[in-house]
């Protein structure tokens, strides 16, 4: 089909050329030895192979063919077989190739095999390596000696074991600017941040460690009263780094709208840095329910800010309605904490706040379960809560 389109295209140009140049000497088959046609054939085969053999989407195949070209299946098939012999599943191989199509033209035994052997030597199994590479095969395009081994040696301090270090590097670290990341990590060490907090950052928010204005955020978090040797310091760093000052101020204003002071916000943030990662909508929904539906003081939430990380409809609403009933019936002490019951597991909550009240347990269990069931139905989100 590609050849037919090419012939038709050139034929029309040929006819036009004859009409405009009647006395010129024209070869009988003007496109017979066209270099462009050879390229088109090669491109067509590459695209066809990528789509039909590997499973590329058409657009991805067309894009990949601009940087990748082969005239026969011999080379790409050898790469596919190479991964198969290492124990990779077809789905793993396809995922790797679709994400990094240039691997189809790579020197597998000199470029990829040494990296695979290095990963194996550090305790990762073949199946683990296959799954990790399927998720992030970009590491295979990097130098073993100049990139992978230096990363391994630097980060092993924080992950302790060889296997954990390899898994983390393959998963996400290779995409970071190595020099800048190591500078920022060394800065954390100099500030006294504990290794476990650094490891958590590397695992959960590695991109933060590749930022160029890292020291200013460190100083800002330190100025908020966080102790650098605690695990909450890393969480606070994430919260400050992941949002603009404008968004930060907007969230603080939302809390203040509900009666909190700046000091209340900072105190709650110190206790639970993830608090300021909560969306404005979620903050408003939780406090609105707490104040308008239950009639309770919003400042109680500032003492246990972890409540904002719980699901409003699956956890907060069902438990709050149980507590409201207990308070109304005089079954709960007036000075008892209203936020403490939201922390325990479901089983512990039911045992302590539902089943322990023999005469009311049936009603309380029904009240709890009805509201948990409502949570699974999206259309009930904006409906009045069951009382």
């Amino acid at each position: 089909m590609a050849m037919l389109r090419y012939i038709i295209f050139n034929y029309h140009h040929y006819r036009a050329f004859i009409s405009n140049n009647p006395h010129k000497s024209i070869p009988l088959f003007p496109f017979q030895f066209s270099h462009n046609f050879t390229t088109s054939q090669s491109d067509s085969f590459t695209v066809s192979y990528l789509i039909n053999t590997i499973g590329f989407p058409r657009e991805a195949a067309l894009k990949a063919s601009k940087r990748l070209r082969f005239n026969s299946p011999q080379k790409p098939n050898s790469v596919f077989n190479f991964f198969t012999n290492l124990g990779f599943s077809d789905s793993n191989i396809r995922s790797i190739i679709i994400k990094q199509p240039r691997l189809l033209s790579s020197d597998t035994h000199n470029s990829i095999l040494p990296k695979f052997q290095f990963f194996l030597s550090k305790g990762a199994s073949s199946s683990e390596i296959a799954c990790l590479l399927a998720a992030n095969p970009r590491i295979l395009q990097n130098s073993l000696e100049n990139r992978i081994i230096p990363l391994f040696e630097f980060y092993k301090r924080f992950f302790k074991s060889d296997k954990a270090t390899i898994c983390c590097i393959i998963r996400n670290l290779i995409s970071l600017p190595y020099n800048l990341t190591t500078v920022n990590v060394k800065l954390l060490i100099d500030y006294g941040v504990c290794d476990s907090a650094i490891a958590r950052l590397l695992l959960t928010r590695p991109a933060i460690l590749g930022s160029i204005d890292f020291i200013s955020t460190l100083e800002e978090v330190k100025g908020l009263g966080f102790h650098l040797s605690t695990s909450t310091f890393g969480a606070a760093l994430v919260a400050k780094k992941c949002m603009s000052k404008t968004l930060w101020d907007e969230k603080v204003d939302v809390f203040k709208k509900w009666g909190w002071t700046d000091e209340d916000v900072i105190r709650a943030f110190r206790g639970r840095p993830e608090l300021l990662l909560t969306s404005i909508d979620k903050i408003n929904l939780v406090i609105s329910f707490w104040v308008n539906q239950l009639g309770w003081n919003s400042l109680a939430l500032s003492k246990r800010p972890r409540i904002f990380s719980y699901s409003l409809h699956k956890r907060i609403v069902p438990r709050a309605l149980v507590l409201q009933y207990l308070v109304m019936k005089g079954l709960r002490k007036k000075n008892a904490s209203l936020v403490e019951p939201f922390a325990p597991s479901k089983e512990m909550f039911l045992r302590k706040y539902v089943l322990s009240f023999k005469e009311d347990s049936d009603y309380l269990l029904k009240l709890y379960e009805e509201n948990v069931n409502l949570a699974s139905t999206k259309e009930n989100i904006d409906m009045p809560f069951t009382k």
Side-chain angles (χ1 to χ4, degrees):
M1 181 63 74
M3 180 183 292
L4 178 60
R5 285 197 298 267
Y6 181 83
I7 291 172
I8 293 172
F9 173 82
N10 279 276
Y11 176 73
H12 288 303
H13 279 270
Y14 179 57
R15 291 289 301 272
F17 188 88
I18 292 175
S19 299
N20 296 326
N21 302 274
H23 303 295
K24 285 278 187 180
S25 176
I26 309 297
L28 184 59
F29 300 107
F31 45 81
Q32 186 173 2
F33 300 105
S34 168
H35 173 71
N36 289 333
F37 174 61
T38 304
T39 302
S40 178
Q41 272 190 314
S42 177
D43 288 347
S44 178
F45 178 84
T46 303
V47 171
S48 176
Y49 182 92
L50 292 175
I51 293 173
N52 299 324
T53 304
I54 307 296
F56 270 64
R58 180 168 181 77
E59 290 302 317
L62 290 169
K63 182 178 179 181
S65 69
K66 295 177 181 178
R67 294 176 295 175
L68 182 71
R69 186 172 298 157
F70 34 81
N71 296 309
S72 75
Q74 183 177 354
K75 178 57 180 176
N77 281 354
S78 71
V79 174
F80 205 99
N81 292 335
F82 170 81
F83 282 110
T84 300
N85 292 335
L86 290 178
F88 286 51
S89 68
D90 285 356
S91 61
N92 286 149
I93 300 171
R94 286 192 172 91
S95 179
I96 290 169
I97 298 302
I98 288 173
K99 292 174 182 176
Q100 291 292 314
R102 285 183 295 177
L103 292 174
L104 286 175
S105 60
S106 63
D107 182 351
T108 52
H109 287 276
N110 291 320
S111 176
I112 300 177
L113 184 59
K115 295 164 190 173
F116 184 82
Q117 291 172 334
F118 176 75
F119 301 149
L120 282 177
S121 72
K122 300 304 179 182
S125 68
S126 296
S127 59
E128 288 169 332
I129 296 170
C131 290
L132 290 167
L133 290 180
N136 187 15
R138 184 179 174 184
I139 194 171
L140 295 176
Q141 298 286 358
N142 290 265
S143 166
L144 177 62
E145 292 76 16
N146 299 329
R147 179 75 162 166
I148 297 173
I149 292 177
L151 274 171
F152 175 84
E153 292 175 347
F154 184 80
Y155 291 114
K156 186 182 174 182
R157 162 177 176 163
F158 309 106
F159 299 108
K160 310 306 180 186
S161 76
D162 288 352
K163 180 178 176 180
T165 305
I166 284 296
C167 289
C168 189
I169 289 174
I170 296 176
R171 186 180 296 116
N172 54 21
L173 294 185
I174 204 69
S175 61
L176 297 178
Y178 174 60
N179 293 333
L180 188 55
T181 302
T182 53
V183 167
N184 287 337
V185 169
K186 288 175 180 176
L187 191 61
L188 288 173
I189 296 170
D190 292 341
Y191 265 65
V193 179
C194 61
D195 285 0
S196 61
I198 296 174
R200 185 178 295 275
L201 282 173
L202 290 168
L203 281 170
T204 59
R205 301 279 183 159
I208 287 176
L209 296 171
S211 57
I212 57 175
D213 56 344
F214 192 68
I215 191 168
S216 62
T217 308
L218 273 177
E219 289 292 342
E220 192 175 357
V221 173
K222 185 179 178 181
L224 291 172
F226 283 87
H227 295 290
L228 281 73
S229 60
T230 63
S231 59
T232 56
F233 179 82
L237 193 65
V238 170
K240 288 297 291 181
K241 199 67 185 169
C242 285
M243 74 181 82
S244 65
K245 184 181 185 304
T246 300
L247 182 56
W248 175 279
D249 291 341
E250 287 177 1
K251 290 185 179 182
V252 171
D253 288 342
V254 170
F255 285 113
K256 291 169 72 174
K257 182 189 75 173
W258 289 103
W260 294 29
T261 65
D262 287 313
E263 291 73 21
D264 291 327
V265 177
I266 295 302
R267 190 185 311 112
F269 179 63
R270 288 198 198 106
R272 186 75 180 176
E274 295 86 349
L275 172 66
L276 269 296
L277 292 175
T278 308
S279 71
I280 290 176
D281 286 344
K282 175 75 176 289
I283 294 169
N284 275 319
L285 283 170
V286 170
I287 304 183
S288 176
F289 171 71
W290 191 269
V291 174
N292 297 329
Q293 295 285 333
L294 301 173
W296 296 344
N297 192 328
S298 70
L299 289 179
L301 298 172
S302 69
K303 298 183 173 82
R304 293 291 179 89
R306 186 175 183 179
I307 195 169
F308 288 93
S309 66
Y310 300 143
S311 167
L312 174 62
H313 295 278
K314 291 182 179 179
R315 187 166 187 148
I316 297 175
V317 170
R319 296 191 184 198
L321 295 179
V322 168
L323 294 174
Q324 187 184 47
Y325 177 86
L326 294 177
V327 171
M328 182 183 66
K329 296 284 287 186
L331 299 174
R332 186 164 173 77
K333 296 178 181 179
K334 291 184 179 180
N335 61 348
S337 170
L338 289 172
V339 292
E340 183 179 329
F342 294 90
S345 66
K346 173 184 175 181
E347 293 72 19
M348 187 177 294
F349 174 83
L350 291 176
R351 185 165 59 249
K352 186 173 182 179
Y353 300 101
V354 174
L355 302 178
S356 62
F357 299 96
K358 303 296 183 183
E359 295 182 2
D360 299 272
S361 61
D362 288 344
Y363 174 78
L364 289 172
L365 186 60
K366 181 181 178 183
L367 178 66
Y368 176 84
E369 290 181 341
E370 279 182 352
N371 283 279
V372 168
N373 292 335
L374 281 176
S376 61
T377 308
K378 292 181 180 180
E379 57 264 30
N380 288 312
I381 287 180
D382 295 322
M383 292 176 64
F385 302 109
T386 303
K387 289 279 188 170

